[in-house]
Amino acid sequence: MRVFRGLPNAESRAPCALTIGNFDGVHRGHQALLARVRAAADARGLPVCVMTFEPHPREFFNPAGAPPRIAMLRDKLEALRMNGVDRVVVEHFNHTFASQTPDAFVERIIVNGLHARWVMIGDDFRYGAKRAGDFASLQAAGAQHGFEVEQMATVADPSGARISSSGVRASLIAGDLDAARSALGRDYAISGHVVHGLKLGRDLGFPTLNLPIAHKRPALSGIFIVRVHGIGPEPLPGVASLGLRPTVDDSGRVLLEVHLLDWHGNAYGKLVRVEFLKKLRDEEKFVDLETLTAAIARDVAHAREYFAALGVATGGTDAAPGSRTTGFSTSATDRIR
Ligand SMILES: Cc1cc2nc3c(=O)[nH]c(=O)nc-3n(C[C@H](O)[C@H](O)[C@H](O)COP(=O)(O)O)c2cc1C
Ligand SMILES: Nc1ncnc2c1ncn2[C@@H]1O[C@H](COP(=O)(O)OP(=O)(O)OP(=O)(O)O)[C@@H](O)[C@H]1O
């Protein structure tokens, strides 16, 4: 998959099947849409191209009031890649982009910029300044410029509700990982590079992998049972804190910290993916480090019970995590889903 910041240059502008949107979370509605684009592209011998925006248009129009992100760009790109996308154009959403007329949008972006031969849009798609362009006007433009337009039928959950990024976001804010999982079709996950932390965790008996994350305000926060990919060949069980760590830090910086059960080693610099399996509690500001340590010990005990119930061995007691190298067998990993 190739990623372009802004419209591709002339050599990279081969004809394509195109869809456009924010794709925050790449949920099951997006996945169905991308599968349809893939099929249409294959039938025509075209690559699949997605145009998406950075920042999110709502962040541009209302920086303070925009909802928190489900996924930052790295995770969005990975999800698009997993869904068969060949090219992603990450368009900088700014005033110039937002104020194009619908006709200018079609000519500059769809026709000359991306050479789209086939375009899929959702049922709520609007384009151009003041959201003036819609399905009917895009179809008319397609007839004029020589591209086909198809509209995606709504993908709903079993209760009939439309699967949406807003719905996933609401589930994450509520800490309802089961609801997020069913709309996403996979566990909610965040990836990042492991960096050096305060090194306080090892003194507390719970060393952590620290991942600075680009989310200024993540939709999800609290303490979680997690599974971590990217350290070894198998995913590793752990507990994680996603938030501000009010007991030890007043920087206001959001951090994802993971204590792996029964693992120690050097993971600095590695790119890891943390899958959130179950929320244990909200983050708290404790009066001292002893109370914090006792709370983390309880979190770890809960995580061990959780993994034991799934048949994933995680070793023994936790005052001082040792060097046991236990983890998920492939079958146990499957059972976690
Ligand atoms: C399972 C778990 C739960 C945590 N809970 C909290 C919490 O409720 N409040 C808090 O301020 N920090 C919490 N933390 C973060 C710790 O303060 C942090 O891991 C510790 O200070 C070590 O930081 P360091 O990795 O920068 O050395 C938690 C960490 C873990 C792994
Ligand atoms: N449940 C769904 N069924 C079918 N198409 C969908 C569904 N959800 C989103 N789409 C389509 O996927 C494309 C990208 O959607 P986009 O991320 O811009 O909006 P969204 O998922 O509806 O998010 P939000 O909830 O923030 O409005 C659009 O064409 C949109 O109409």
Side-chain angles (χ1 to χ4, degrees):
M1 186 178 83
R2 287 190 70 184
V3 179
F4 299 90
R5 287 281 186 168
L7 292 173
N9 55 25
E11 305 88 80
S12 307
R13 273 181 215 165
C16 67
L18 172 71
T19 189
I20 302 171
N22 297 309
F23 293 96
D24 191 14
V26 191
H27 55 61
R28 289 200 298 110
H30 295 143
Q31 291 164 27
L33 179 145
L34 293 169
R36 174 66 198 120
V37 181
R38 182 74 264 170
D42 289 345
R44 292 162 180 78
L46 298 170
V48 170
C49 177
V50 169
M51 171 174 268
T52 191
F53 307 105
E54 201 56 48
H56 191 297
R58 267 189 266 173
E59 292 166 353
F60 171 75
F61 287 117
N62 183 4
R69 287 278 186 109
I70 300 169
M72 299 308 290
L73 189 59
R74 181 197 292 119
D75 288 325
K76 184 199 290 195
L77 293 176
E78 177 60 14
L80 292 174
R81 193 184 65 77
M82 297 288 290
N83 280 277
V85 174
D86 299 304
R87 287 186 209 158
V88 181
V89 175
V90 183
E91 185 69 25
H92 183 55
F93 196 89
N94 57 17
H95 186 72
T96 313
F97 188 87
S99 53
Q100 296 174 102
T101 63
D103 286 348
F105 178 87
V106 168
E107 281 171 33
R108 194 180 148 259
I109 306 292
I110 296 183
V111 177
N112 297 323
L114 299 170
H115 290 191
R117 295 280 187 268
W118 186 92
V119 182
M120 164 67 95
I121 60 169
D123 41 11
D124 54 353
F125 182 74
R126 299 285 182 280
Y127 63 100
K130 302 198 177 111
R131 297 168 51 81
D134 60 10
F135 177 65
S137 64
L138 191 63
Q139 254 193 333
Q144 188 193 336
H145 291 285
F147 61 84
E148 296 172 75
V149 184
E150 187 172 310
Q151 192 169 31
M152 180 70 189
T154 289
V155 179
D157 68 20
S159 76
R162 182 178 201 269
I163 295 175
S164 67
S165 300
S166 331
V168 175
R169 216 170 272 134
S171 301
L172 294 176
I173 290 169
D176 187 347
L177 290 171
D178 291 340
R181 182 180 299 115
S182 68
L184 292 171
R186 63 186 186 280
D187 290 305
Y188 179 62
I190 294 179
S191 60
H193 285 100
V194 178
V195 300
H196 293 269
L198 299 173
K199 314 273 193 286
L200 188 62
R202 57 183 74 167
D203 294 341
L204 303 181
F206 299 101
T208 54
L209 305 181
N210 291 27
L211 285 86
I213 53 172
H215 300 57
K216 290 196 185 69
R217 273 182 312 135
L220 189 70
S221 71
I223 313 304
F224 301 90
I225 300 175
V226 298
R227 176 171 53 187
V228 180
H229 298 256
I231 303 278
E234 296 289 334
L236 295 172
V239 279
S241 148
L242 174 56
L244 300 172
R245 317 188 302 163
T247 313
V248 296
D249 191 354
D250 58 7
S251 69
R253 202 165 43 104
V254 177
L255 202 62
L256 172 56
E257 280 195 88
V258 184
H259 170 68
L260 293 169
L261 307 178
D262 314 313
W263 180 90
H264 72 166
N266 184 351
Y268 292 120
K270 286 199 173 178
L271 177 62
V272 302
R273 190 170 95 251
V274 180
E275 285 175 349
F276 296 86
L277 303 178
K278 185 175 190 288
K279 180 162 179 174
L280 290 170
R281 61 179 173 89
D282 285 330
E283 188 172 53
E284 276 182 62
K285 182 169 174 126
F286 291 106
V287 288
D288 54 30
L289 292 180
E290 286 70 45
T291 335
L292 168 68
T293 310
I296 298 177
R298 283 194 299 277
D299 297 330
V300 170
H302 287 138
R304 289 198 190 284
E305 281 167 26
Y306 176 93
F307 288 119
L310 292 167
V312 179
T314 64
T317 56
D318 289 290
S323 58
R324 290 170 293 263
T325 47
T326 53
F328 296 92
S329 69
T330 307
S331 58
T333 307
D334 291 343
R335 264 179 282 144
I336 275 181
R337 297 218 151 259

